[in-house]
Amino acid sequence: MTARRLLHGLGVLIFLLPSAGAWTTPGVPVSLRLLALAILAVTAVRPFWGLMSVGILLPLNAVLNVVIQPEVGAIPQSEILLSAFLLAACARALRDPDGPSTRLGGPALVLGVLVGANALVALATRQMTTQWLPDFLRDFWHHVTTEYHRGSDSFDAFHAAMEWIEGLTLAVLAERLCGSRGPAALGRFLGAVAAAATHGAIRLIQISVKRDHPVTAAMGFLRTLRINTLYNDANAAGSLFALYFVPAAWLAWVTFTVRATRPARAMAGYVFATLVIALALWMTQSRAAYAGAIIGLATVWLASGSRKSVRTAAATAGVAAVLLLAFVWLNKGSASQSSASVSVGLRWELAKVALQITRTHPFFGIGWHEFRQADRKSTRLN
């Protein structure tokens, strides 16, 4: 219990920095500050509804960026909203530490410690090559207290570590808040995800109705365009939708198989969420995301409560392999994509570079954000 209180207290201190930075960083509009304040207030009273708010707003970050038009970037904008939830949720948990247990807490804590240690080593290395320690600490304090969301090349390791820690904490809190409320809470959360996923379908309709034959145009766009309104990187959006597609599809299947004891509206809700998320996943044209969704569903099926025979496990693996081939290798890619063979070759080369970097930096690594620079160095050496 004491350890849990200490972790929640540490979370309050950590997430106070980006939350306060929303008010001390120049260029953050009043509308964004008030939205963060509203999330903080809702979370302080009803943490689950604060989580729902974040679950709806973060995937719509690109839309919010257009509406709010802050001088800070899209990533700081997301961090302002997310840190408000994390700060209030940790403060609420600090008052009531007897919450539900979490299976993600231990692994998240270990990874968080590794991230923090890596950031400290990276900052210390930069300090020793640029400034005396007192000057470096003074500049760091000035940055985090007056220009936190402006970013700085001198402290990019710190910001990269904060993003990792915020993401890990969000995962733990989401598991606790949804798990304590049962399947209904998870259903509402998936509903929020489906609402965000509909923006891709809306965009498809917008570009299709401008053609002479909207239905034919829409079918063509589904085969040739990468439609995504959430992130600049369509692969990132695909990975997000694959992550949510697995529980949505699994819950739809489980609810269908035990429909005699579940209301029909629950099954309809899960099926609807699955279809909407699947459509958004398909429109990203991310072959890696397709593979992740298939492997995820196969893994959930094999790990489900009922015991599986060797023959069933082998059949599941075979079906998953066939689907992987169908979605990955038979997908030639859109005009903006490389072929499957080129994509696999590129990832193989990146894997070799990663192994080379690991060999040259076996203890503390190169930092969570330094892969591009280390990649260029490794390429020159070879």
Side-chain angles (χ1 to χ4, degrees):
M1 197 65 62
T2 302
R4 183 176 290 186
R5 283 185 178 274
L6 288 175
L7 289 175
H8 292 153
L10 181 61
V12 170
L13 294 176
I14 291 175
F15 303 126
L16 185 61
L17 283 175
S19 296
W23 299 87
T24 60
T25 301
V28 179
V30 175
S31 57
L32 184 57
R33 291 172 176 172
L34 293 179
L35 184 57
L37 190 62
I39 292 176
L40 191 148
V42 169
T43 306
V45 179
R46 291 287 188 270
F48 177 76
W49 290 109
L51 176 66
M52 290 286 290
S53 301
V54 171
I56 294 173
L57 291 175
L58 288 188
L60 300 180
N61 189 50
V63 178
L64 283 176
N65 193 263
V66 173
V67 174
I68 297 176
Q69 296 184 344
E71 294 183 18
V72 297
I75 293 178
Q77 175 182 295
S78 296
E79 189 175 13
I80 289 171
L81 301 179
L82 178 58
S83 61
F85 164 73
L86 297 175
L87 174 62
C90 287
R92 178 66 182 260
L94 186 61
R95 291 174 46 200
D96 182 23
D98 298 325
S101 59
T102 169
R103 288 178 292 181
L104 295 180
L109 179 60
V110 172
L111 186 54
V113 171
L114 291 175
V115 170
N118 187 282
L120 286 175
V121 171
L123 289 173
T125 302
R126 183 176 290 272
Q127 176 268 313
M128 288 187 289
T129 57
T130 57
Q131 290 177 288
W132 295 105
L133 180 59
D135 295 335
F136 184 84
L137 292 177
R138 183 175 61 251
D139 290 347
F140 177 74
W141 179 252
H142 178 269
H143 171 69
V144 298
T145 56
T146 60
E147 295 186 334
Y148 184 99
H149 294 292
R150 286 288 188 180
S152 172
D153 292 340
S154 299
F155 311 113
D156 50 2
F158 167 76
H159 287 285
M162 284 294 294
E163 292 172 11
W164 273 85
I165 292 173
E166 288 162 356
L168 291 170
T169 307
L170 176 63
V172 174
L173 291 174
E175 183 204 18
R176 293 184 62 183
L177 292 173
C178 291
S180 63
R181 289 173 170 258
L186 182 57
R188 295 189 188 99
F189 190 78
L190 290 174
V193 174
T198 58
H199 279 254
I202 292 172
R203 182 59 179 158
L204 175 65
I205 294 172
Q206 288 175 335
I207 62 178
S208 299
V209 295
K210 296 180 180 180
R211 300 296 191 272
D212 294 335
H213 302 283
V215 176
T216 303
M219 298 302 295
F221 290 146
L222 282 174
R223 295 194 305 270
T224 60
L225 291 184
R226 306 188 77 181
I227 302 174
N228 156 53
T229 61
L230 300 186
Y231 299 106
N232 292 330
D233 188 347
N235 288 321
S239 298
L240 178 70
F241 289 133
L243 182 67
Y244 290 129
F245 172 79
V246 173
W250 181 251
L251 286 172
W253 169 254
V254 171
T255 307
F256 175 78
T257 56
V258 295
R259 58 187 180 275
T261 59
R262 296 285 182 89
R265 63 181 182 179
M267 182 180 68
Y270 288 134
V271 170
F272 176 76
T274 301
L275 293 177
V276 171
I277 295 173
L279 177 61
L281 172 61
W282 173 262
M283 288 190 294
T284 64
Q285 296 289 323
S286 174
R287 292 165 298 206
Y290 297 164
I294 294 170
I295 294 173
L297 277 178
T299 303
V300 171
W301 162 253
L302 292 175
S304 60
S306 58
R307 298 186 62 181
K308 306 295 188 302
S309 64
V310 175
R311 181 176 299 179
T312 300
T316 302
V319 171
V322 171
L323 290 175
L324 281 175
L325 288 174
F327 281 106
V328 179
W329 289 104
L330 298 181
N331 185 333
K332 301 302 181 182
S334 64
S336 61
Q337 286 178 290
S338 59
S339 65
S341 59
V342 172
S343 296
V344 171
L346 177 61
R347 284 166 172 78
W348 172 247
E349 293 300 321
L350 289 174
K352 291 194 294 185
V353 170
L355 291 174
Q356 172 67 17
I357 293 172
T358 302
R359 186 182 68 82
T360 56
H361 299 79
F363 297 106
F364 297 108
I366 58 169
W368 301 99
H369 59 293
E370 298 287 351
F371 183 81
R372 291 182 182 273
Q373 183 177 357
D375 180 15
R376 290 193 290 268
K377 292 180 180 179
S378 177
T379 302
R380 287 198 300 268
L381 291 175
N382 292 329

